[in-house]
Amino acid sequence: MKKSCISGRITTFHQQSIHSMSLAYEVMRLFASPQGHLVEIKRHDQMANTSDSGHEWLWVTNRSVSSLHPSRIEGEMHQVQTFREAQLQLVDQHAELLWFNGDRFTLEARQPLTLPPEQRQLIHNHLS
């Protein structure tokens, strides 16, 4: 039986691989709490099917990502946004997410607008 020869040759990693994995969104706002992250993103791909010019709110935990679906209410103020799943109240650098199941999370704005790698991967998977 003939053994195959291993050359030991190292090939160059091309930057093209990184660009093909680039994400088609930009983080606009980021809030954090011990329970998870609330992220407003602006999608840059053609799959952005939200009515607010590609903006979308995501609730990101250590294990999952959930989209929050806007619920339009006449006269709603910009500091209060209502979704089918929860209501968001924005006050300066703080926010409160009131889930309709009774949970209430207090969040703080984060700068820079960068999520940990695990959460970025979850968002990438969610949007794919």
Side-chain angles (χ1 to χ4, degrees):
M1 183 170 182
K2 193 173 184 181
K3 291 185 178 181
S4 61
C5 180
I6 299 174
S7 72
R9 184 175 175 193
I10 298 173
T11 59
T12 307
F13 180 75
H14 297 282
Q15 290 293 335
Q16 181 178 344
S17 302
I18 292 173
H19 294 301
S20 65
M21 295 186 328
S22 67
L23 302 178
Y25 69 91
E26 175 184 357
V27 175
M28 304 304 290
R29 289 192 267 185
L30 174 63
F31 295 91
S33 75
Q35 297 84 4
H37 295 85
L38 181 65
V39 186
E40 181 186 17
I41 63 169
K42 180 176 182 182
R43 294 186 66 165
H44 298 293
D45 59 4
Q46 283 77 21
M47 298 303 291
N49 57 2
T50 60
S51 61
D52 194 15
S53 63
H55 284 249
E56 187 174 339
W57 284 93
L58 304 172
W59 175 249
V60 185
T61 67
N62 289 334
R63 296 186 178 145
S64 67
V65 176
S66 301
S67 292
L68 298 178
H69 303 93
S71 177
R72 300 284 179 215
I73 296 178
E74 290 298 319
E76 188 173 40
M77 296 172 28
H78 189 64
Q79 291 82 11
V80 176
Q81 296 188 24
T82 303
F83 303 96
R84 284 187 278 179
E85 303 82 4
Q87 185 177 56
L88 173 63
Q89 296 179 359
L90 301 167
V91 180
D92 296 323
Q93 297 297 310
H94 302 282
E96 189 170 55
L97 193 59
L98 308 165
W99 293 93
F100 294 137
N101 67 4
D103 290 339
R104 178 183 298 242
F105 300 149
T106 301
L107 304 124
E108 291 190 29
R110 294 286 188 223
Q111 291 290 334
L113 301 174
T114 307
L115 286 160
E118 298 82 15
Q119 279 76 19
R120 286 196 317 260
Q121 182 64 48
L122 286 170
I123 291 174
H124 177 76
N125 294 346
H126 178 74
L127 298 176
S128 297

